[in-house]
Amino acid sequence: MGYFPLFVDMNDKEIWVFGGGTIALRRVKMLLLFGARITVVAPEIARELQALAHEQQKLVLEYRSYRPSELCEQDFVLAATNDHQVNDAIFRECNHKHIPVNVASDKEKCDFYFPGIVKAGEIVVGVTAQGKDHRQAAKVAKDIRKLLLQPEEGA
């Protein structure tokens, strides 16, 4: 069985991201486009995320490690640390508390996937290969982006 594509109103949803690296950066940048309130928790946070936090009121950075039993009011959680044990602990806590979670390093521990997203004006397209072939999904998203951004004939 595959994942059902579902579009969710992310405006003012409370999202916590554990990890401050490249994957976290990509996810945060996309979620901010849709109005999410994001807290990034990591002992070290990429410079680009730091700069983004200075520009975005909806992005808060906490320079620390995950603390067991700290999750309760979040709408979604992303585990994108480079420590599989920490990611697993976050996954187990979220499951216990019925908080949807995405563990970037383990597709089996994802309640949802991040599709390749193409946004052109009011059109939003999500592309996934069910977590199996990221390159194929990226290529299809790129092709869709080209298609949507082409000037109309006769315009």
Side-chain angles (χ1 to χ4, degrees):
M1 302 275 267
Y3 279 64
F4 178 79
L6 178 70
F7 287 84
V8 177
D9 179 2
M10 297 303 284
N11 192 47
D12 283 331
K13 292 289 189 271
E14 184 69 31
I15 300 173
W16 278 31
V17 178
F18 291 91
T22 304
I23 293 171
L25 173 63
R26 276 198 326 260
R27 305 287 198 252
V28 166
K29 286 169 81 175
M30 187 56 66
L31 289 165
L32 285 169
L33 291 176
F34 292 90
R37 287 182 292 122
I38 303 167
T39 300
V40 173
V41 178
E44 295 179 29
I45 297 174
R47 284 194 176 132
E48 194 172 343
L49 262 172
Q50 294 174 29
L52 200 56
H54 288 295
E55 301 167 7
Q56 300 284 333
Q57 292 181 358
K58 291 188 173 192
L59 176 57
V60 174
L61 306 180
E62 293 190 14
Y63 292 85
R64 62 176 179 80
S65 297
Y66 162 73
R67 298 176 188 142
S69 301
E70 72 175 310
L71 301 172
C72 60
E73 299 290 323
Q74 295 77 12
D75 293 300
F76 297 94
V77 170
L78 312 178
T81 77
N82 57 4
D83 185 326
H84 293 291
Q85 289 180 326
V86 170
N87 288 347
D88 190 58
I90 293 166
F91 168 74
R92 283 183 276 123
E93 182 175 350
C94 286
N95 269 352
H96 179 73
K97 295 178 178 176
H98 306 289
I99 300 169
V101 62
N102 173 286
V103 178
S105 61
D106 189 343
K107 69 179 182 177
E108 301 299 321
K109 294 179 179 173
C110 292
D111 294 318
F112 60 94
Y113 290 143
F114 276 83
I117 296 176
V118 179
K119 189 171 186 320
E122 297 300 313
I123 301 295
V124 178
V125 178
V127 178
T128 183
Q130 300 295 328
K132 294 180 181 154
D133 190 342
H134 298 296
R135 284 190 183 144
Q136 180 186 18
K139 182 194 177 311
V140 170
K142 183 178 177 181
D143 291 345
I144 292 170
R145 190 171 292 108
K146 279 191 227 174
L147 179 70
L148 290 176
L149 298 177
Q150 285 180 5
E152 290 185 40
E153 288 186 35

PDB file of all heavy atoms in Angstrom, residues 102-138:
ATOM      1  N   ASN A 102       8.179  12.357  11.134  1.00  0.00           N
ATOM      2  CA  ASN A 102       8.955  11.967   9.962  1.00  0.00           C
ATOM      3  C   ASN A 102      10.394  11.817  10.436  1.00  0.00           C
ATOM      4  O   ASN A 102      10.983  12.769  10.944  1.00  0.00           O
ATOM      5  CB  ASN A 102       8.859  13.036   8.877  1.00  0.00           C
ATOM      6  CG  ASN A 102       9.781  12.768   7.706  1.00  0.00           C
ATOM      7  OD1 ASN A 102      10.989  12.944   7.799  1.00  0.00           O
ATOM      8  ND2 ASN A 102       9.206  12.359   6.601  1.00  0.00           N
ATOM      9  N   VAL A 103      10.941  10.600  10.301  1.00  0.00           N
ATOM     10  CA  VAL A 103      12.342  10.352  10.635  1.00  0.00           C
ATOM     11  C   VAL A 103      13.106  10.320   9.313  1.00  0.00           C
ATOM     12  O   VAL A 103      12.960   9.381   8.531  1.00  0.00           O
ATOM     13  CB  VAL A 103      12.516   9.033  11.420  1.00  0.00           C
ATOM     14  CG1 VAL A 103      13.994   8.779  11.719  1.00  0.00           C
ATOM     15  CG2 VAL A 103      11.701   9.076  12.718  1.00  0.00           C
ATOM     16  N   ALA A 104      13.875  11.352   9.072  1.00  0.00           N
ATOM     17  CA  ALA A 104      14.516  11.544   7.766  1.00  0.00           C
ATOM     18  C   ALA A 104      15.400  10.373   7.355  1.00  0.00           C
ATOM     19  O   ALA A 104      15.515  10.075   6.172  1.00  0.00           O
ATOM     20  CB  ALA A 104      15.328  12.836   7.771  1.00  0.00           C
ATOM     21  N   SER A 105      15.989   9.679   8.306  1.00  0.00           N
ATOM     22  CA  SER A 105      16.928   8.609   7.977  1.00  0.00           C
ATOM     23  C   SER A 105      16.290   7.226   7.888  1.00  0.00           C
ATOM     24  O   SER A 105      16.980   6.245   7.632  1.00  0.00           O
ATOM     25  CB  SER A 105      18.038   8.567   9.039  1.00  0.00           C
ATOM     26  OG  SER A 105      17.474   8.306  10.320  1.00  0.00           O
ATOM     27  N   ASP A 106      14.962   7.130   8.097  1.00  0.00           N
ATOM     28  CA  ASP A 106      14.328   5.805   8.120  1.00  0.00           C
ATOM     29  C   ASP A 106      12.893   5.896   7.632  1.00  0.00           C
ATOM     30  O   ASP A 106      11.991   6.269   8.386  1.00  0.00           O
ATOM     31  CB  ASP A 106      14.376   5.236   9.534  1.00  0.00           C
ATOM     32  CG  ASP A 106      13.939   3.786   9.619  1.00  0.00           C
ATOM     33  OD1 ASP A 106      13.286   3.282   8.672  1.00  0.00           O
ATOM     34  OD2 ASP A 106      14.238   3.148  10.646  1.00  0.00           O
ATOM     35  N   LYS A 107      12.658   5.519   6.363  1.00  0.00           N
ATOM     36  CA  LYS A 107      11.312   5.639   5.785  1.00  0.00           C
ATOM     37  C   LYS A 107      10.280   4.785   6.512  1.00  0.00           C
ATOM     38  O   LYS A 107       9.089   5.071   6.452  1.00  0.00           O
ATOM     39  CB  LYS A 107      11.342   5.322   4.294  1.00  0.00           C
ATOM     40  CG  LYS A 107      11.612   3.883   3.970  1.00  0.00           C
ATOM     41  CD  LYS A 107      11.597   3.653   2.483  1.00  0.00           C
ATOM     42  CE  LYS A 107      11.816   2.178   2.198  1.00  0.00           C
ATOM     43  NZ  LYS A 107      11.753   1.877   0.807  1.00  0.00           N
ATOM     44  N   GLU A 108      10.722   3.757   7.218  1.00  0.00           N
ATOM     45  CA  GLU A 108       9.789   2.911   7.971  1.00  0.00           C
ATOM     46  C   GLU A 108       9.267   3.624   9.220  1.00  0.00           C
ATOM     47  O   GLU A 108       8.297   3.187   9.820  1.00  0.00           O
ATOM     48  CB  GLU A 108      10.468   1.590   8.375  1.00  0.00           C
ATOM     49  CG  GLU A 108      10.981   0.767   7.207  1.00  0.00           C
ATOM     50  CD  GLU A 108       9.885   0.340   6.237  1.00  0.00           C
ATOM     51  OE1 GLU A 108       8.785  -0.007   6.704  1.00  0.00           O
ATOM     52  OE2 GLU A 108      10.135   0.379   5.017  1.00  0.00           O
ATOM     53  N   LYS A 109       9.925   4.707   9.598  1.00  0.00           N
ATOM     54  CA  LYS A 109       9.527   5.459  10.790  1.00  0.00           C
ATOM     55  C   LYS A 109       8.955   6.821  10.405  1.00  0.00           C
ATOM     56  O   LYS A 109       9.198   7.820  11.057  1.00  0.00           O
ATOM     57  CB  LYS A 109      10.721   5.614  11.733  1.00  0.00           C
ATOM     58  CG  LYS A 109      11.174   4.281  12.303  1.00  0.00           C
ATOM     59  CD  LYS A 109      12.357   4.424  13.215  1.00  0.00           C
ATOM     60  CE  LYS A 109      12.742   3.052  13.759  1.00  0.00           C
ATOM     61  NZ  LYS A 109      13.984   3.114  14.507  1.00  0.00           N
ATOM     62  N   CYS A 110       8.173   6.821   9.339  1.00  0.00           N
ATOM     63  CA  CYS A 110       7.565   8.063   8.861  1.00  0.00           C
ATOM     64  C   CYS A 110       6.051   7.906   8.776  1.00  0.00           C
ATOM     65  O   CYS A 110       5.560   7.000   8.095  1.00  0.00           O
ATOM     66  CB  CYS A 110       8.097   8.424   7.474  1.00  0.00           C
ATOM     67  SG  CYS A 110       9.841   8.881   7.454  1.00  0.00           S
ATOM     68  N   ASP A 111       5.341   8.763   9.461  1.00  0.00           N
ATOM     69  CA  ASP A 111       3.883   8.821   9.307  1.00  0.00           C
ATOM     70  C   ASP A 111       3.525   9.568   8.034  1.00  0.00           C
ATOM     71  O   ASP A 111       2.416   9.464   7.538  1.00  0.00           O
ATOM     72  CB  ASP A 111       3.241   9.528  10.510  1.00  0.00           C
ATOM     73  CG  ASP A 111       3.402   8.736  11.788  1.00  0.00           C
ATOM     74  OD1 ASP A 111       3.232   7.504  11.748  1.00  0.00           O
ATOM     75  OD2 ASP A 111       3.702   9.357  12.825  1.00  0.00           O
ATOM     76  N   PHE A 112       4.475  10.350   7.529  1.00  0.00           N
ATOM     77  CA  PHE A 112       4.274  11.124   6.311  1.00  0.00           C
ATOM     78  C   PHE A 112       5.627  11.328   5.655  1.00  0.00           C
ATOM     79  O   PHE A 112       6.664  11.250   6.310  1.00  0.00           O
ATOM     80  CB  PHE A 112       3.609  12.477   6.605  1.00  0.00           C
ATOM     81  CG  PHE A 112       4.407  13.347   7.537  1.00  0.00           C
ATOM     82  CD1 PHE A 112       5.288  14.296   7.034  1.00  0.00           C
ATOM     83  CD2 PHE A 112       4.279  13.231   8.918  1.00  0.00           C
ATOM     84  CE1 PHE A 112       6.036  15.093   7.887  1.00  0.00           C
ATOM     85  CE2 PHE A 112       5.019  14.028   9.781  1.00  0.00           C
ATOM     86  CZ  PHE A 112       5.903  14.954   9.264  1.00  0.00           C
ATOM     87  N   TYR A 113       5.605  11.550   4.355  1.00  0.00           N
ATOM     88  CA  TYR A 113       6.812  11.854   3.597  1.00  0.00           C
ATOM     89  C   TYR A 113       6.765  13.310   3.162  1.00  0.00           C
ATOM     90  O   TYR A 113       5.691  13.895   3.042  1.00  0.00           O
ATOM     91  CB  TYR A 113       6.906  11.019   2.313  1.00  0.00           C
ATOM     92  CG  TYR A 113       7.164   9.558   2.510  1.00  0.00           C
ATOM     93  CD1 TYR A 113       6.564   8.621   1.678  1.00  0.00           C
ATOM     94  CD2 TYR A 113       8.022   9.083   3.488  1.00  0.00           C
ATOM     95  CE1 TYR A 113       6.801   7.268   1.824  1.00  0.00           C
ATOM     96  CE2 TYR A 113       8.258   7.738   3.645  1.00  0.00           C
ATOM     97  CZ  TYR A 113       7.653   6.835   2.814  1.00  0.00           C
ATOM     98  OH  TYR A 113       7.882   5.507   2.955  1.00  0.00           O
ATOM     99  N   PHE A 114       7.935  13.852   2.876  1.00  0.00           N
ATOM    100  CA  PHE A 114       8.017  15.150   2.236  1.00  0.00           C
ATOM    101  C   PHE A 114       8.123  14.903   0.746  1.00  0.00           C
ATOM    102  O   PHE A 114       9.117  14.337   0.290  1.00  0.00           O
ATOM    103  CB  PHE A 114       9.233  15.940   2.717  1.00  0.00           C
ATOM    104  CG  PHE A 114       8.986  16.680   3.976  1.00  0.00           C
ATOM    105  CD1 PHE A 114       9.100  16.050   5.190  1.00  0.00           C
ATOM    106  CD2 PHE A 114       8.612  18.012   3.941  1.00  0.00           C
ATOM    107  CE1 PHE A 114       8.848  16.723   6.366  1.00  0.00           C
ATOM    108  CE2 PHE A 114       8.358  18.704   5.105  1.00  0.00           C
ATOM    109  CZ  PHE A 114       8.472  18.059   6.331  1.00  0.00           C
ATOM    110  N   PRO A 115       7.120  15.301  -0.004  1.00  0.00           N
ATOM    111  CA  PRO A 115       7.219  15.109  -1.451  1.00  0.00           C
ATOM    112  C   PRO A 115       8.139  16.165  -2.049  1.00  0.00           C
ATOM    113  O   PRO A 115       8.481  17.147  -1.396  1.00  0.00           O
ATOM    114  CB  PRO A 115       5.773  15.333  -1.923  1.00  0.00           C
ATOM    115  CG  PRO A 115       5.219  16.302  -0.931  1.00  0.00           C
ATOM    116  CD  PRO A 115       5.863  15.942   0.386  1.00  0.00           C
ATOM    117  N   GLY A 116       8.519  15.932  -3.300  1.00  0.00           N
ATOM    118  CA  GLY A 116       9.135  16.997  -4.056  1.00  0.00           C
ATOM    119  C   GLY A 116       8.025  17.999  -4.309  1.00  0.00           C
ATOM    120  O   GLY A 116       6.962  17.629  -4.812  1.00  0.00           O
ATOM    121  N   ILE A 117       8.201  19.241  -3.919  1.00  0.00           N
ATOM    122  CA  ILE A 117       7.129  20.229  -4.014  1.00  0.00           C
ATOM    123  C   ILE A 117       7.436  21.237  -5.107  1.00  0.00           C
ATOM    124  O   ILE A 117       8.545  21.776  -5.182  1.00  0.00           O
ATOM    125  CB  ILE A 117       6.902  20.944  -2.668  1.00  0.00           C
ATOM    126  CG1 ILE A 117       6.428  19.929  -1.635  1.00  0.00           C
ATOM    127  CG2 ILE A 117       5.896  22.085  -2.820  1.00  0.00           C
ATOM    128  CD1 ILE A 117       6.253  20.471  -0.244  1.00  0.00           C
ATOM    129  N   VAL A 118       6.441  21.449  -5.940  1.00  0.00           N
ATOM    130  CA  VAL A 118       6.515  22.471  -6.973  1.00  0.00           C
ATOM    131  C   VAL A 118       5.419  23.476  -6.648  1.00  0.00           C
ATOM    132  O   VAL A 118       4.250  23.109  -6.527  1.00  0.00           O
ATOM    133  CB  VAL A 118       6.287  21.878  -8.382  1.00  0.00           C
ATOM    134  CG1 VAL A 118       6.344  22.968  -9.428  1.00  0.00           C
ATOM    135  CG2 VAL A 118       7.300  20.777  -8.670  1.00  0.00           C
ATOM    136  N   LYS A 119       5.811  24.738  -6.476  1.00  0.00           N
ATOM    137  CA  LYS A 119       4.837  25.791  -6.162  1.00  0.00           C
ATOM    138  C   LYS A 119       4.990  26.887  -7.200  1.00  0.00           C
ATOM    139  O   LYS A 119       6.059  27.464  -7.349  1.00  0.00           O
ATOM    140  CB  LYS A 119       5.085  26.331  -4.760  1.00  0.00           C
ATOM    141  CG  LYS A 119       4.007  27.258  -4.249  1.00  0.00           C
ATOM    142  CD  LYS A 119       4.236  27.566  -2.782  1.00  0.00           C
ATOM    143  CE  LYS A 119       3.151  28.360  -2.117  1.00  0.00           C
ATOM    144  NZ  LYS A 119       2.549  29.425  -2.831  1.00  0.00           N
ATOM    145  N   ALA A 120       3.927  27.127  -7.942  1.00  0.00           N
ATOM    146  CA  ALA A 120       3.906  28.182  -8.957  1.00  0.00           C
ATOM    147  C   ALA A 120       2.603  28.954  -8.772  1.00  0.00           C
ATOM    148  O   ALA A 120       1.542  28.488  -9.171  1.00  0.00           O
ATOM    149  CB  ALA A 120       4.002  27.589 -10.353  1.00  0.00           C
ATOM    150  N   GLY A 121       2.694  30.108  -8.125  1.00  0.00           N
ATOM    151  CA  GLY A 121       1.474  30.868  -7.826  1.00  0.00           C
ATOM    152  C   GLY A 121       0.589  30.065  -6.882  1.00  0.00           C
ATOM    153  O   GLY A 121       1.027  29.616  -5.834  1.00  0.00           O
ATOM    154  N   GLU A 122      -0.645  29.880  -7.277  1.00  0.00           N
ATOM    155  CA  GLU A 122      -1.601  29.138  -6.443  1.00  0.00           C
ATOM    156  C   GLU A 122      -1.559  27.629  -6.687  1.00  0.00           C
ATOM    157  O   GLU A 122      -2.236  26.869  -6.000  1.00  0.00           O
ATOM    158  CB  GLU A 122      -3.029  29.664  -6.692  1.00  0.00           C
ATOM    159  CG  GLU A 122      -3.215  31.118  -6.287  1.00  0.00           C
ATOM    160  CD  GLU A 122      -2.935  31.352  -4.810  1.00  0.00           C
ATOM    161  OE1 GLU A 122      -3.422  30.583  -3.966  1.00  0.00           O
ATOM    162  OE2 GLU A 122      -2.190  32.317  -4.506  1.00  0.00           O
ATOM    163  N   ILE A 123      -0.773  27.204  -7.665  1.00  0.00           N
ATOM    164  CA  ILE A 123      -0.667  25.780  -7.980  1.00  0.00           C
ATOM    165  C   ILE A 123       0.422  25.153  -7.110  1.00  0.00           C
ATOM    166  O   ILE A 123       1.548  25.648  -7.049  1.00  0.00           O
ATOM    167  CB  ILE A 123      -0.317  25.542  -9.469  1.00  0.00           C
ATOM    168  CG1 ILE A 123      -1.370  26.157 -10.384  1.00  0.00           C
ATOM    169  CG2 ILE A 123      -0.110  24.053  -9.756  1.00  0.00           C
ATOM    170  CD1 ILE A 123      -2.737  25.511 -10.270  1.00  0.00           C
ATOM    171  N   VAL A 124       0.079  24.073  -6.427  1.00  0.00           N
ATOM    172  CA  VAL A 124       1.035  23.316  -5.626  1.00  0.00           C
ATOM    173  C   VAL A 124       0.936  21.858  -6.053  1.00  0.00           C
ATOM    174  O   VAL A 124      -0.153  21.283  -6.068  1.00  0.00           O
ATOM    175  CB  VAL A 124       0.736  23.439  -4.113  1.00  0.00           C
ATOM    176  CG1 VAL A 124       1.733  22.605  -3.310  1.00  0.00           C
ATOM    177  CG2 VAL A 124       0.767  24.888  -3.668  1.00  0.00           C
ATOM    178  N   VAL A 125       2.084  21.285  -6.397  1.00  0.00           N
ATOM    179  CA  VAL A 125       2.139  19.889  -6.820  1.00  0.00           C
ATOM    180  C   VAL A 125       3.131  19.169  -5.916  1.00  0.00           C
ATOM    181  O   VAL A 125       4.234  19.663  -5.676  1.00  0.00           O
ATOM    182  CB  VAL A 125       2.604  19.764  -8.295  1.00  0.00           C
ATOM    183  CG1 VAL A 125       2.706  18.306  -8.710  1.00  0.00           C
ATOM    184  CG2 VAL A 125       1.671  20.532  -9.221  1.00  0.00           C
ATOM    185  N   GLY A 126       2.731  18.007  -5.423  1.00  0.00           N
ATOM    186  CA  GLY A 126       3.623  17.174  -4.628  1.00  0.00           C
ATOM    187  C   GLY A 126       3.936  15.895  -5.380  1.00  0.00           C
ATOM    188  O   GLY A 126       3.035  15.262  -5.922  1.00  0.00           O
ATOM    189  N   VAL A 127       5.217  15.522  -5.411  1.00  0.00           N
ATOM    190  CA  VAL A 127       5.650  14.329  -6.139  1.00  0.00           C
ATOM    191  C   VAL A 127       6.417  13.423  -5.185  1.00  0.00           C
ATOM    192  O   VAL A 127       7.322  13.878  -4.489  1.00  0.00           O
ATOM    193  CB  VAL A 127       6.565  14.705  -7.327  1.00  0.00           C
ATOM    194  CG1 VAL A 127       7.051  13.454  -8.045  1.00  0.00           C
ATOM    195  CG2 VAL A 127       5.857  15.647  -8.287  1.00  0.00           C
ATOM    196  N   THR A 128       6.043  12.159  -5.149  1.00  0.00           N
ATOM    197  CA  THR A 128       6.782  11.195  -4.346  1.00  0.00           C
ATOM    198  C   THR A 128       6.915   9.886  -5.104  1.00  0.00           C
ATOM    199  O   THR A 128       6.087   9.570  -5.956  1.00  0.00           O
ATOM    200  CB  THR A 128       6.109  10.941  -2.981  1.00  0.00           C
ATOM    201  OG1 THR A 128       6.931  10.043  -2.229  1.00  0.00           O
ATOM    202  CG2 THR A 128       4.722  10.346  -3.127  1.00  0.00           C
ATOM    203  N   ALA A 129       7.962   9.167  -4.780  1.00  0.00           N
ATOM    204  CA  ALA A 129       8.158   7.820  -5.310  1.00  0.00           C
ATOM    205  C   ALA A 129       8.005   6.832  -4.144  1.00  0.00           C
ATOM    206  O   ALA A 129       8.706   5.830  -4.079  1.00  0.00           O
ATOM    207  CB  ALA A 129       9.521   7.696  -5.983  1.00  0.00           C
ATOM    208  N   GLN A 130       7.127   7.162  -3.222  1.00  0.00           N
ATOM    209  CA  GLN A 130       6.832   6.324  -2.042  1.00  0.00           C
ATOM    210  C   GLN A 130       8.087   6.070  -1.199  1.00  0.00           C
ATOM    211  O   GLN A 130       8.218   5.032  -0.566  1.00  0.00           O
ATOM    212  CB  GLN A 130       6.195   5.002  -2.470  1.00  0.00           C
ATOM    213  CG  GLN A 130       4.898   5.151  -3.231  1.00  0.00           C
ATOM    214  CD  GLN A 130       3.785   5.755  -2.393  1.00  0.00           C
ATOM    215  OE1 GLN A 130       3.696   5.575  -1.184  1.00  0.00           O
ATOM    216  NE2 GLN A 130       2.902   6.497  -3.039  1.00  0.00           N
ATOM    217  N   GLY A 131       9.007   7.032  -1.203  1.00  0.00           N
ATOM    218  CA  GLY A 131      10.219   6.913  -0.401  1.00  0.00           C
ATOM    219  C   GLY A 131      11.255   5.964  -0.970  1.00  0.00           C
ATOM    220  O   GLY A 131      12.225   5.636  -0.303  1.00  0.00           O
ATOM    221  N   LYS A 132      11.071   5.529  -2.219  1.00  0.00           N
ATOM    222  CA  LYS A 132      11.969   4.518  -2.787  1.00  0.00           C
ATOM    223  C   LYS A 132      12.984   5.073  -3.774  1.00  0.00           C
ATOM    224  O   LYS A 132      14.073   4.553  -3.875  1.00  0.00           O
ATOM    225  CB  LYS A 132      11.147   3.424  -3.464  1.00  0.00           C
ATOM    226  CG  LYS A 132      10.328   2.642  -2.468  1.00  0.00           C
ATOM    227  CD  LYS A 132       9.524   1.573  -3.149  1.00  0.00           C
ATOM    228  CE  LYS A 132       8.714   0.841  -2.080  1.00  0.00           C
ATOM    229  NZ  LYS A 132       7.523   0.256  -2.589  1.00  0.00           N
ATOM    230  N   ASP A 133      12.635   6.100  -4.537  1.00  0.00           N
ATOM    231  CA  ASP A 133      13.537   6.595  -5.574  1.00  0.00           C
ATOM    232  C   ASP A 133      13.491   8.119  -5.591  1.00  0.00           C
ATOM    233  O   ASP A 133      12.775   8.729  -6.375  1.00  0.00           O
ATOM    234  CB  ASP A 133      13.141   6.015  -6.944  1.00  0.00           C
ATOM    235  CG  ASP A 133      14.183   6.287  -8.017  1.00  0.00           C
ATOM    236  OD1 ASP A 133      15.034   7.192  -7.826  1.00  0.00           O
ATOM    237  OD2 ASP A 133      14.134   5.606  -9.044  1.00  0.00           O
ATOM    238  N   HIS A 134      14.281   8.718  -4.707  1.00  0.00           N
ATOM    239  CA  HIS A 134      14.275  10.179  -4.572  1.00  0.00           C
ATOM    240  C   HIS A 134      14.723  10.881  -5.849  1.00  0.00           C
ATOM    241  O   HIS A 134      14.231  11.954  -6.173  1.00  0.00           O
ATOM    242  CB  HIS A 134      15.152  10.615  -3.389  1.00  0.00           C
ATOM    243  CG  HIS A 134      14.668  10.096  -2.075  1.00  0.00           C
ATOM    244  ND1 HIS A 134      13.463  10.462  -1.530  1.00  0.00           N
ATOM    245  CD2 HIS A 134      15.216   9.220  -1.203  1.00  0.00           C
ATOM    246  CE1 HIS A 134      13.297   9.851  -0.377  1.00  0.00           C
ATOM    247  NE2 HIS A 134      14.347   9.085  -0.159  1.00  0.00           N
ATOM    248  N   ARG A 135      15.655  10.271  -6.568  1.00  0.00           N
ATOM    249  CA  ARG A 135      16.129  10.885  -7.818  1.00  0.00           C
ATOM    250  C   ARG A 135      15.005  10.970  -8.847  1.00  0.00           C
ATOM    251  O   ARG A 135      14.863  11.975  -9.531  1.00  0.00           O
ATOM    252  CB  ARG A 135      17.301  10.099  -8.393  1.00  0.00           C
ATOM    253  CG  ARG A 135      18.580  10.363  -7.657  1.00  0.00           C
ATOM    254  CD  ARG A 135      19.760   9.770  -8.400  1.00  0.00           C
ATOM    255  NE  ARG A 135      20.959  10.000  -7.605  1.00  0.00           N
ATOM    256  CZ  ARG A 135      21.946   9.156  -7.507  1.00  0.00           C
ATOM    257  NH1 ARG A 135      21.917   8.017  -8.166  1.00  0.00           N
ATOM    258  NH2 ARG A 135      22.988   9.450  -6.771  1.00  0.00           N
ATOM    259  N   GLN A 136      14.237   9.902  -8.967  1.00  0.00           N
ATOM    260  CA  GLN A 136      13.133   9.902  -9.926  1.00  0.00           C
ATOM    261  C   GLN A 136      12.105  10.967  -9.540  1.00  0.00           C
ATOM    262  O   GLN A 136      11.630  11.714 -10.386  1.00  0.00           O
ATOM    263  CB  GLN A 136      12.462   8.529  -9.987  1.00  0.00           C
ATOM    264  CG  GLN A 136      11.315   8.500 -10.985  1.00  0.00           C
ATOM    265  CD  GLN A 136      10.557   7.179 -10.952  1.00  0.00           C
ATOM    266  OE1 GLN A 136      10.645   6.417 -10.004  1.00  0.00           O
ATOM    267  NE2 GLN A 136       9.793   6.924 -12.008  1.00  0.00           N
ATOM    268  N   ALA A 137      11.771  11.038  -8.256  1.00  0.00           N
ATOM    269  CA  ALA A 137      10.805  12.041  -7.804  1.00  0.00           C
ATOM    270  C   ALA A 137      11.335  13.451  -8.066  1.00  0.00           C
ATOM    271  O   ALA A 137      10.590  14.332  -8.509  1.00  0.00           O
ATOM    272  CB  ALA A 137      10.488  11.851  -6.328  1.00  0.00           C
ATOM    273  N   ALA A 138      12.625  13.677  -7.814  1.00  0.00           N
ATOM    274  CA  ALA A 138      13.229  14.994  -8.057  1.00  0.00           C
ATOM    275  C   ALA A 138      13.189  15.350  -9.534  1.00  0.00           C
ATOM    276  O   ALA A 138      12.919  16.502  -9.897  1.00  0.00           O
ATOM    277  CB  ALA A 138      14.658  15.023  -7.532  1.00  0.00           C
TER     278      ALA A 138
END
